[in-house]
């Protein structure tokens, strides 16, 4: 049974050309790039070239890109490093629909005495710039708003938000981990001071990410040690990972002009098929300001995990919201912030399409989904109650 | 998190899904907020549970515990049925992941809710019957 992989927002398969680019650094070119001899200088040069590729992919300068061990580390660094650099400032503004990498960092900072304002979102998951304007205080150290949400795919109006912070010089960070490689990202158009990205979301390897830090933004290190990354992120560089990330990013940016519209069409086909063939569903997230591959749907009267298990038994990989919270009992904080009642939030499934998916996959999924939803509804007491009320 | 083969079997091929037109006892427990709702139906003859059916909204563990509980009560006297613990339900499924242990409690509560309903309707008393929980939907 061929696996039907529809969980590209959790992680993507490693691109064969990224793997090929990595191999020399896993085999012969093992040398520490911080050493002085010739073979080490070759590794250093490969890292520098990769930095230039990643920088140009997001419209930054090479000396504004710092490699990290993950996107989550980049988020942690942006928040903690900014606060450490401005100890007199005690307030953070973020959204109520952040990935856990930012959300749980903020919760930890609250325990350390910081004030955090969580901006509300509308029913599509969008932050209102007026709410940001009202939330800013003289002691606001930074604003962090996710560029594109990992669960529902909603793309935030970052340019409008960063215009507000720019006026009083408050640093603006964005978690762009779901966006980079999928939609155009330019740090100057967005007006952001920091931006986190992660290689394994666009065909690169796990275990490597990057933080963009605009020149002049005060950010202290998160990790101390050697002088790697110009003294701002210690730890011997993951040369293979960094080279693999740059290769994958370069490929995905090159393919974006045709892949972005192609995947968007697939997404809209899937949404149209589900809403046509399955009654009592709700599409979560914005209809158009949405990541090309994201489909998040609540199936009324059934619980998300039971549907995922059914799909799993038929070889389909999908997710309930965030991959990180599978196994959690709490309904998604993102769907709850968007005002979904618990019943609908518990029945939400995320299908995330990627470059490996075709329209044949949509047909395969529908052939599994329709009978699975019917079977689970047939055993649902909530569906019984609904039918009885309907008859009255 | 991994489910045992038995949980997967009872989830994919649930036994005794449905209801009875003339059930002798019906009990519903749980709520949408906690993510699981179980409704248990029993038929009773001469103090013995002859058949049980269920409808469940919930995760794989919730469906599996409901399914196996309907098998476990069949042929039991009311007095025997009341002694089926959540641990017995869990053991019968070769265990549940720690995060899902509460589902087996829900199965026990659903059974007790159905037995309470029967006891009330027929005026019999069953020793060891647990009182209704606040979160009961009632019937």
């Amino acid at each position: 049974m061929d696996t039907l992989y529809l969980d590209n927002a959790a992680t993507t398969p490693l691109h064969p050309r990224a793997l090929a680019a990595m191999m020399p650094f896993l085999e012969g070119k093992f040398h520490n790039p911080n050493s002085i001899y010739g073979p080490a200088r070759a590794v250093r040069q490969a890292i520098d070239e990769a930095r230039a590729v990643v920088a140009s992919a997001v419209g930054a300068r090479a000396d504004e890109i710092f490699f990290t061990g993950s996107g989550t580390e980049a988020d942690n660094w942006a928040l903690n490093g900014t606060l450490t650099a401005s100890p007199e400032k005690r307030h953070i503004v973020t959204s109520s629909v952040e990935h856990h990498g930012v959300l749980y960092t903020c919760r930890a900072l609250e325990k350390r005495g910081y004030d955090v304002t969580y901006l509300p979102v509308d029913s599509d998951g969008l932050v209102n710039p007026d709410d940001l304007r009202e939330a800013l205080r003289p002691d606001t150290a930074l604003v962090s708003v996710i560029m594109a949400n990992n669960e529902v795919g909603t793309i935030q109006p970052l340019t409008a938000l960063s215009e507000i912070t720019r006026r009083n010089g408050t640093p603006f960070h964005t978690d762009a981990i779901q966006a980079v490689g999928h939609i155009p990202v330019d740090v100057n158009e967005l007006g952001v001071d920091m931006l986190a990205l992660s290689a394994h979301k666009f065909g690169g390897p796990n275990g490597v990410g990057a933080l963009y830090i605009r020149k002049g933004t005060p950010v202290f290190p998160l990790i101390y040690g050697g002088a790697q990354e110009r003294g701002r992120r210690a730890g011997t560089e993951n040369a293979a990972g960094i080279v693999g990330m740059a290769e994958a990013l370069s490929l995905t940016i090159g393919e974006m002009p045709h892949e972005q519209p192609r995947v968007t069409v697939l997404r809209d086909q899937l949404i149209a098929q589900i809403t046509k063939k399955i009654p009592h569903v709700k599409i979560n997230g914005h209809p158009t300001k949405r990541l090309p591959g994201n489909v998040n749907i609540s199936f009324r009267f059934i619980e998300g995990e039971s549907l995922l298990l059914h799909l799993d038994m038929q070889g389909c990989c999908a997710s309930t919201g965030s991959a990180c919270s599978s196994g959690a009992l709490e309904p998604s904080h993102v769907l709850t912030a968007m005002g979904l009642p618990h019943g609908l939030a518990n029945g939400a499934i995320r299908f995330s399409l990627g470059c490996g998916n075709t329209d044949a996959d949509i047909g395969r999924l529908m052939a599994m989904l329709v009978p699975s939803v019917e079977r689970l509804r047939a055993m649902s007491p909530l569906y019984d109650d609904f039918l009885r009320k309907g008859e009255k | 998190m991994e489910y045992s083969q038995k949980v997967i079997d009872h989830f994919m091929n649930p036994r005794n899904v449905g209801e009875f037109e003339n059930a002798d006892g019906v009990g519903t427990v749980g709520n949408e907020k906690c993510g699981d709702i179980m409704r248990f139906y029993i038929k009773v003859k001469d103090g013995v549970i002859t058949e049980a059916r269920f409808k469940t909204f919930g995760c794989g563990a919730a469906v599996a515990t409901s399914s196996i509980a309907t098998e476990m009560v069949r042929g039991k006297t009311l007095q025997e049925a009341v002694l089926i613990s959540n641990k017995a339900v869990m053991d019968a499924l070769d265990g549940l992941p720690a995060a899902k242990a509460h589902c087996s409690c829900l199965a026990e509560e659903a059974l007790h809710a159905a037995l309470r309903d029967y006891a009330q309707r027929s005026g019999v008393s069953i020793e060891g019957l647990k009182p209704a929980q606040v979160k009961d939907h009632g019937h």
Side-chain angles (χ1 to χ4, degrees):
Chain A
M1 179 169 63
D2 273 354
T3 297
L4 177 56
Y5 189 70
L6 301 174
D7 203 17
N8 289 277
T11 195
T12 52
L14 182 63
H15 196 291
R17 278 174 60 184
L19 176 63
M22 293 168 73
M23 283 313 285
F25 300 91
L26 296 168
E27 290 177 320
K29 298 185 177 183
F30 65 91
H31 308 86
N32 190 320
N34 306 292
S35 298
I36 202 159
Y37 33 80
R41 288 200 302 275
V43 179
R44 161 68 49 215
Q45 197 189 333
I47 292 174
D48 287 344
E49 285 167 14
R51 196 184 310 281
V53 169
V54 173
S56 101
V58 296
R61 293 164 32 169
D63 63 358
E64 295 174 314
I65 296 295
F66 300 88
F67 295 121
T68 62
S70 64
T72 294
E73 183 195 324
D75 278 333
N76 272 257
W77 180 12
L79 270 62
N80 282 294
T82 303
L83 294 172
T84 325
S86 310
E88 73 291 353
K89 297 194 168 169
R90 308 296 296 171
H91 179 232
I92 304 148
V93 180
T94 188
S95 83
S96 48
V97 294
E98 294 300 303
H99 182 270
H100 289 153
V102 167
L103 176 65
Y104 286 173
T105 303
C106 284
R107 297 236 178 110
L109 288 164
E110 281 184 282
K111 284 187 187 151
R112 279 165 49 193
Y114 286 92
D115 275 351
V116 181
T117 302
Y118 298 92
L119 299 173
V121 293
D122 66 13
S123 56
D124 290 330
L126 285 171
V127 169
N128 183 339
D130 289 338
D131 290 329
L132 172 60
R133 205 171 283 119
E134 279 172 34
L136 289 175
R137 307 194 322 211
D139 69 337
T140 304
L142 95 155
V143 174
S144 181
V145 176
I146 191 165
M147 183 171 176
N149 184 266
N150 53 302
E151 292 187 35
V152 296
T154 300
I155 299 168
Q156 298 295 343
L158 283 193
T159 307
L161 296 171
S162 69
E163 253 171 40
I164 297 165
T165 57
R166 181 130 300 196
R167 267 180 234 144
N168 67 359
T170 308
F172 194 107
H173 168 65
T174 188
D175 170 343
I177 290 168
Q178 291 289 338
V180 172
H182 300 274
I183 54 174
V185 174
D186 183 294
V187 292
N188 293 312
E189 270 175 36
L190 297 172
V192 296
D193 302 298
M194 287 166 282
L195 178 145
L197 61 100
S198 175
H200 74 105
K201 304 296 191 187
F202 50 74
N206 285 336
V208 59
L211 180 64
Y212 154 79
I213 306 178
R214 184 180 294 278
K215 193 94 181 161
T217 309
V219 185
F220 279 11
L222 180 70
I223 294 173
Y224 290 90
Q228 293 88 0
E229 299 299 290
R230 294 166 319 287
R232 300 184 73 176
R233 198 279 188 180
T236 301
E237 298 87 340
N238 171 6
I242 289 167
V243 167
M245 167 158 72
E247 182 68 16
L249 189 52
S250 157
L251 288 166
T252 190
I253 300 266
E255 288 161 3
M256 200 184 287
H258 62 265
E259 271 302 284
Q260 190 189 348
R262 189 189 73 86
V263 176
T264 304
V265 166
L266 279 187
R267 174 196 77 189
D268 292 341
Q269 264 179 18
L270 177 54
I271 290 174
Q273 291 267 322
I274 293 177
T275 44
K276 188 177 147 206
K277 293 188 177 161
I278 304 178
H280 314 302
V281 297
K282 182 184 180 307
I283 310 297
N284 302 310
H286 196 278
T288 54
K289 293 172 187 166
R290 181 182 200 105
L291 284 172
N294 177 285
V295 178
N296 186 303
I297 300 206
S298 292
F299 295 88
R300 279 184 72 191
F301 316 120
I302 61 184
E303 199 266 350
E305 192 216 80
S306 60
L307 182 52
L308 275 192
L309 271 178
H310 255 261
L311 294 174
D312 178 31
M313 292 297 144
Q314 298 168 84
C316 172
C317 310
S319 160
T320 51
S322 164
C324 315
S325 59
S326 297
L329 299 172
E330 286 292 303
S332 141
H333 68 280
V334 172
L335 297 176
T336 308
M338 287 162 60
L340 252 74
H342 281 282
L344 281 178
N346 281 331
I349 299 275
R350 179 188 71 187
F351 301 107
S352 44
L353 308 164
C355 57
N357 295 120
T358 63
D359 52 2
D361 293 340
I362 307 296
R364 269 186 80 192
L365 172 62
M366 291 309 297
M368 300 176 188
L369 199 54
V370 172
S372 291
V373 169
E374 273 174 15
R375 272 190 72 188
L376 288 166
R377 279 185 177 158
M379 67 171 86
S380 169
L382 294 176
Y383 193 49
D384 269 359
D385 292 347
F386 168 81
L387 292 178
R388 279 200 195 103
K389 268 184 210 155
E391 281 163 12
K392 270 175 197 169
Chain B
M1 189 184 65
E2 210 168 328
Y3 286 134
S4 71
Q5 278 307 312
K6 254 200 170 145
V7 173
I8 295 291
D9 176 35
H10 274 269
F11 171 71
M12 289 307 289
N13 311 294
R15 282 54 147 183
N16 309 310
V17 176
E19 52 199 291
F20 300 114
E21 248 177 57
N22 300 306
D24 297 312
V26 183
T28 305
V29 295
N31 58 57
E32 270 188 272
K33 195 174 175 182
C34 79
D36 295 312
I37 300 173
M38 282 184 199
R39 187 170 294 162
F40 222 77
Y41 302 82
I42 51 172
K43 293 279 255 183
V44 181
K45 199 177 176 194
D46 303 328
V48 172
I49 297 175
T50 55
E51 269 186 287
R53 287 185 187 164
F54 79 95
K55 289 237 172 165
T56 289
F57 163 90
C59 63
V63 172
T65 52
S66 315
S67 165
I68 203 151
T70 58
E71 287 198 324
M72 290 168 77
V73 298
R74 194 175 188 166
K76 295 267 196 311
T77 65
L78 297 169
Q79 210 53 64
E80 286 165 345
V82 90
L83 294 174
I84 294 173
S85 66
N86 70 304
K87 190 179 175 303
V89 171
M90 223 169 8
D91 288 347
L93 287 169
D94 295 337
L96 285 175
K100 299 291 185 182
H102 72 284
C103 293
S104 63
C105 301
L106 213 56
E108 184 189 309
E109 283 171 28
L111 170 61
H112 277 253
L115 289 169
R116 267 198 310 278
D117 184 45
Y118 172 76
Q120 203 169 22
R121 287 195 210 180
S122 57
V124 301
S125 78
I126 307 170
E127 203 181 317
L129 198 54
K130 290 183 180 169
Q133 307 257 330
V134 187
K135 60 186 171 189
D136 268 24
H137 285 208
H139 255 270

